[in-house]
């Protein structure tokens, strides 16, 4: 272990906020007496390889600078290694930072938090979800929400979030209940119809949508939000309540808690931390204390 900290930077996060956030975060860390090295990959695979090399080389901490996608990439490098994770949240959603009470879009403050935590030897053990060899920190989405992501990523126009608004309208027009097979822990497999099933290690996704509002990152359990079959009108009534986390009060919504969740459905892709994980069926498991977070 050295005193060198590795900044893991996504220069395109938040329309360039990632690149702009790196300098003040690095300045705060250097002012605290730490050496800082910056890693920027040519693409996600190259960036991850460089981050893993830094971890294997004994970096004092890996610090993603960007949004939830960059945090997710960093998790693949540090989970289970003992190398602490710092976060400089400079993306669009920043759900992982929000869930853990870290500064959002305040890179100098985030750098100061990381420096103080390292000096004082303070960290928080945080659970992660795992699907196969893929780790996630926030929410695994499947159903209506993941189909919106699928469609939005296939579209080449328009740019930005408006593309996902159009994708949502298109998916609303095609809304149908999805037949799932689900299993929570060792309970018998169940066949249900649902609009979506979200598996939450943390409470929110999509920049503050509190789909699994009561999920905690250190209790060893997922909160699983099931939105049952509903009409377009009902979904449009329930959806705004996701931002306040009050949607579980609606009769169409149920919440379950489990450490292991099996999901199967035809034609669905799972998305975790805003990134595609792969097609269903899949199994998500909690791994308690999988990462040491600098707070």
């Amino acid at each position: 272990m050295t005193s060198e900290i590795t900044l893991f930077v996504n220069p395109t996060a938040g329309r360039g906020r990632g690149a702009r956030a790196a300098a003040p975060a690095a300045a705060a860390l250097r002012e605290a007496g730490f050496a800082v090295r910056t890693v920027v990959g040519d693409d996600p695979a190259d960036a991850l390889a460089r981050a893993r090399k830094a971890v294997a080389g004994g970096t004092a901490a890996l610090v993603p600078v960007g949004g939830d996608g960059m945090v997710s990439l960093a998790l693949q490098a540090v989970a289970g290694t003992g190398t602490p994770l710092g976060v400089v949240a400079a993306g669009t959603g920043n759900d992982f930072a929000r869930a853990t009470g870290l500064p959002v879009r305040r890179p100098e403050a985030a750098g100061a938090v990381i420096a103080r935590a390292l000096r004082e030897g303070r960290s928080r053990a945080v659970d992660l979800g795992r699907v196969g060899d893929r780790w996630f920190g926030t929410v695994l989405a499947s159903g209506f929400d993941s189909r919106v992501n699928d469609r939005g990523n296939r579209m080449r126009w328009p740019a930005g979030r408006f593309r996902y608004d159009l994708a949502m309208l298109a998916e609303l027009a095609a809304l149908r209940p999805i037949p799932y097979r689900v299993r929570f822990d060792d309970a018998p497999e169940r066949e249900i119809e649902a609009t979506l099933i979200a598996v939450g290690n943390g409470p929110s996704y999509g920049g503050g949508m509190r789909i699994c509002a009561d999920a905690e990152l250190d209790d060893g359990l997922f909160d699983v939000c099931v939105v049952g079959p509903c009409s377009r009108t009902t979904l449009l009534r329930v959806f705004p309540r996701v931002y306040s986390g009050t949607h579980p009060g609606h009769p169409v919504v149920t919440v379950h808690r489990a450490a292991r969740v099996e999901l199967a459905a035809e034609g669905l892709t799972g998305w975790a931390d805003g990134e595609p994980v792969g097609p269903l069926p899949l199994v998500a498991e909690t791994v308690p204390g999988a990462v040491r977070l600098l707070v």
Side-chain angles (χ1 to χ4, degrees):
M1 181 72 71
T2 71
S3 62
E4 182 180 78
I5 296 169
T6 302
L7 288 190
F8 189 37
V9 181
N10 179 1
T12 65
R15 298 182 181 180
R17 280 193 298 268
R20 294 192 296 272
L29 289 163
R30 291 190 177 106
E31 186 176 344
F34 293 96
V36 178
R37 174 175 176 247
T38 300
V39 168
V40 181
D42 297 329
D43 53 41
D46 179 58
L48 179 55
R50 292 169 185 255
R52 284 176 167 156
K53 183 177 180 180
V55 170
T59 187
L62 184 66
V63 180
V65 182
D68 287 316
M70 203 63 182
V71 172
S72 182
L73 203 58
L75 292 177
Q76 314 313 310
V78 300
T81 66
T83 298
L85 177 78
V87 175
V88 177
T92 302
N94 305 308
D95 288 289
F96 186 83
R98 296 178 198 277
T100 51
L102 294 171
V104 172
R105 297 182 188 168
R106 293 188 293 132
E108 187 173 359
V113 167
I114 293 163
R116 185 167 58 250
L118 285 169
R119 282 200 310 267
E120 297 175 2
R122 186 178 68 250
S123 63
R124 175 186 175 188
V126 170
D127 303 343
L128 296 178
R130 185 170 61 191
V131 177
D133 60 359
R134 175 70 178 271
W135 301 88
F136 67 95
T138 58
V139 177
L140 169 68
S142 74
F144 175 79
D145 44 6
S146 66
R147 283 178 167 169
V148 170
N149 273 327
D150 284 341
R151 184 181 289 270
N153 277 268
R154 291 195 302 268
M155 296 166 66
R156 293 294 173 260
W157 182 92
R161 296 187 68 90
F162 189 51
R163 179 170 59 193
Y164 292 91
D165 294 337
L166 290 181
M168 181 177 292
L169 290 174
E171 289 300 327
L172 273 172
L175 185 67
R176 298 288 186 279
I178 300 166
Y180 284 90
R181 300 190 310 278
V182 301
R183 186 195 303 272
F184 301 126
D185 292 328
D186 296 325
E189 182 179 84
R190 301 165 54 190
E191 294 184 359
I192 64 172
E193 287 194 333
T195 300
L196 66 85
I197 299 178
V199 181
N201 182 59
S204 69
Y205 61 4
M209 291 189 286
R210 297 178 59 80
I211 187 70
C212 301
D214 294 327
E216 298 180 1
L217 281 82
D218 56 5
D219 63 353
L221 294 170
F222 294 126
D223 279 30
V224 185
C225 178
V226 179
V227 178
C230 59
S231 67
R232 297 180 189 91
T233 301
T234 299
L235 185 59
L236 287 171
R237 285 175 179 164
V238 172
F239 181 76
R241 296 172 62 173
V242 172
Y243 286 95
S244 62
T246 59
H247 57 291
H250 194 283
V252 79
V253 179
T254 57
V255 178
H256 309 262
R257 306 192 78 212
R260 187 175 191 273
V261 180
E262 299 179 33
L263 295 175
E266 294 295 327
L268 282 187
T269 300
W271 287 69
D273 292 342
E275 303 293 328
V277 172
L280 275 61
L282 53 78
V283 178
E285 298 180 283
T286 52
V287 182
V291 68
R292 290 172 50 213
L293 182 67
L294 297 170
V295 294

